[in-house]
Amino acid sequence: MSQDIHRQAFKEEAYELLAELETSLLEWEAAPGDPELIGRIFRAMHTIKGSGAMFGFDDIARFTHEVETALDKVRNGSLAPSARLLDLTLAARDQIKAMVDADGSEGVVDSARTEELVAGFRDLVQPPKAAAAPVPKPRTEAPPEDESSSGDSAAVTFHIRFRPPRDLFLKGQDPVLLLNELRALGTARVFAHTDRIPPLPEIDPEACYTWWDIYLTTNQGRAAVQDVFIFVEDESDLVIETLEPSADPEPSASAPKLGEILIQRGAVTPQKVQEILAAQQPLGRMLVQAGVVSPSQVEAALAEQKALRDAQETRKKAEDVRSIRVPSDRLDKLVDLVGEMVTVQARLSQTAAQRRDPALVAIAEEVERLTAELRDNAMSTRMVPIGALFGKFRRLVRDLARDLGRDVDMVTEGE
């Protein structure tokens, strides 16, 4: 039953996002160079993908990921906006709506259409390479470049420290999904820290006590990494930094030592490191035995040390909730109850006037005031901007104009 409620909540949110997405895409057609519009479009797709994966709509998450990839390239400037991309994205929006309508029912959604759209986006992102005559290269003593390392850009290793808020689960977020999304960007080493978990009698089963260090090697860029945390970064302690190797190309330029990394991360003081080193024992083991740091922190620091060494050898960052979503049938029921309350209030006022009891009249007047205020608020809650209704015609007008070869603009005012 709970799962059905969550899936229904996702569908309601998805319909709102899809309506907003269509409006943004039509505005983007008129202003393809507006970075704010492409940002709105990307965030809507990103939300649908993340929520879809969270509530079991895996087909929607997989399909939306293909669209999101193309939009991200437009956002970072590696793909130019085009009429083809706009048409594909509008068609993808319609396909996602069909998937939401189907709610996982087999054979309802046209899978061939889905594959056709996926192929279209992939062609835009990675167009087929035209055959070209080989260009002779000058001979050098350098070894041939490893083709497996080629990509959109050079691979970079990021250190990500993610300390989510205690109420992360209560806000509908699953950190495992965020970590899996990071893994999809490249090669990730994840270290979970459990030092904040209290004794068993004090544990709140709905609280998140774990925090993570992640070392991610990817060629997707910092923006793609930060987008993974787009809906949790305001409430979380999030650090995303690039691991920069030493600029000295000589082999003698070594990577930072374990103690230096732990000091930099604030896990231990320089004085404690010196005390341990004076004992001439392995630093990590001694720090754990002394109870200064946890084993997972030492493992994470060692992983960072290794990542820096690898980088040196190869030279290679919500908004408060201000509204809630309520099904329209509940608002209809509220308006009906308010209507019945107005009737009861009128009877109370009539009875008070007949009995001429000052105390009863005062109560009736107070109830009348509260009932009128409740009625006005209930009616205003039920109303929606009329622009949301007429906005649907913009897509219809656009498609008709394109099919008929006409140049038509639909303008609405007073929405």
Side-chain angles (χ1 to χ4, degrees):
M1 181 66 179
S2 176
Q3 184 178 5
D4 292 340
I5 294 175
H6 292 155
R7 290 174 70 89
Q8 182 61 32
F10 164 73
K11 292 176 68 174
E12 291 172 3
E13 180 187 40
Y15 287 132
E16 289 185 11
L17 289 168
L18 289 170
E20 177 186 344
L21 179 62
E22 184 174 74
T23 301
S24 299
L25 285 169
L26 295 176
E27 292 177 5
W28 189 42
E29 184 176 30
D34 190 338
E36 177 61 27
L37 282 174
I38 187 61
R40 280 164 48 189
I41 295 167
F42 179 84
R43 287 191 295 272
M45 282 291 183
H46 189 78
T47 305
I48 293 172
K49 184 188 79 170
S51 300
M54 182 180 300
F55 296 117
F57 291 82
D58 296 332
D59 55 339
I60 293 178
R62 285 191 297 269
F63 176 64
T64 311
H65 176 73
E66 301 289 343
V67 187
E68 185 188 51
T69 300
L71 294 174
D72 187 41
K73 288 188 174 293
V74 175
R75 197 174 55 150
N76 61 35
S78 59
L79 179 65
S82 64
R84 171 66 174 160
L85 175 60
L86 179 67
D87 290 339
L88 280 172
T89 311
L90 283 169
R93 178 263 176 201
D94 296 339
Q95 193 70 359
I96 294 171
K97 183 178 183 300
M99 292 177 174
V100 176
D101 292 339
D103 195 5
S105 301
E106 295 290 337
V108 176
V109 180
D110 186 354
S111 58
R113 177 59 173 163
T114 302
E115 294 302 322
E116 179 185 349
L117 290 171
V118 168
F121 281 108
R122 289 179 178 174
D123 286 345
L124 279 176
V125 173
Q126 296 177 340
K129 295 181 179 179
V135 178
K137 297 182 179 179
R139 292 186 178 182
T140 64
E141 297 300 323
E145 183 179 354
D146 183 4
E147 294 181 357
S148 64
S149 64
S150 63
D152 295 334
S153 59
V156 176
T157 298
F158 294 95
H159 168 234
I160 305 159
R161 172 157 291 181
F162 176 42
R163 294 177 183 258
R166 291 278 178 90
D167 58 351
L168 180 72
F169 301 138
L170 298 178
K171 295 180 178 180
Q173 297 292 340
D174 185 348
V176 174
L177 296 176
L178 301 178
L179 297 175
N180 289 339
E181 197 166 345
L182 283 177
R183 288 189 174 98
L185 295 178
T187 302
R189 297 189 66 189
V190 180
F191 297 88
H193 303 299
T194 57
D195 53 290
R196 298 196 303 178
I197 298 179
L200 188 58
E202 301 175 16
I203 287 181
D204 179 357
E206 295 182 339
C208 179
Y209 298 102
T210 309
W211 57 283
W212 292 267
D213 273 312
I214 307 104
Y215 297 92
L216 173 67
T217 302
T218 177
N219 62 356
Q220 296 299 311
R222 183 188 181 92
V225 177
Q226 194 153 4
D227 285 338
V228 173
F229 302 96
I230 190 171
F231 300 111
V232 298
E233 63 179 334
D234 290 340
E235 298 85 12
S236 304
D237 180 5
L238 178 66
V239 177
I240 303 174
E241 55 187 6
T242 306
L243 295 183
E244 297 288 354
S246 170
D248 190 344
E250 295 299 322
S252 59
S254 59
K257 297 179 180 179
L258 176 63
E260 295 173 351
I261 295 174
L262 289 171
I263 292 172
Q264 183 181 2
R265 301 297 172 219
V268 66
T269 63
Q271 294 79 6
K272 194 64 180 180
V273 171
Q274 291 302 322
E275 291 176 12
I276 299 297
L277 289 175
Q280 296 184 350
Q281 295 289 334
L283 179 62
R285 184 190 309 167
M286 294 292 290
L287 287 172
V288 172
Q289 290 176 353
V292 179
V293 296
S294 64
S296 62
Q297 287 178 297
V298 173
E299 290 181 17
L302 289 171
E304 180 172 341
Q305 187 181 50
K306 182 179 184 302
L308 285 167
R309 284 173 177 164
D310 293 343
Q312 185 170 308
E313 291 172 359
T314 57
R315 298 292 302 158
K316 315 230 176 1
K317 163 170 194 298
E319 158 179 315
D320 295 333
V321 177
R322 299 179 180 176
S323 62
I324 59 174
R325 187 176 296 103
V326 180
S328 59
D329 56 343
R330 293 189 184 181
L331 291 178
D332 291 339
K333 180 65 174 177
L334 175 62
V335 172
D336 291 341
L337 290 173
V338 170
E340 294 181 18
M341 193 171 191
V342 171
T343 303
V344 173
Q345 173 269 318
R347 289 173 57 193
L348 176 61
S349 297
Q350 185 179 13
T351 302
Q354 290 173 349
R355 295 189 179 184
R356 299 181 180 180
D357 184 340
L360 185 59
V361 170
I363 294 174
E365 290 176 351
E366 184 68 12
V367 171
E368 182 178 4
R369 181 186 67 80
L370 293 173
T371 303
E373 187 175 345
L374 178 61
R375 178 198 60 208
D376 293 343
N377 276 278
M379 295 302 295
S380 64
T381 302
R382 189 64 183 86
M383 293 192 298
V384 296
I386 198 170
L389 175 64
F390 289 103
K392 298 177 182 179
F393 291 103
R394 296 180 61 188
R395 173 75 182 279
L396 177 63
V397 170
R398 175 196 178 274
D399 292 345
L400 281 174
R402 185 189 59 182
D403 295 342
L404 298 175
R406 304 290 180 127
D407 187 9
V408 181
D409 288 330
M410 178 180 173
V411 180
T412 58
E413 297 180 358
E415 299 182 4

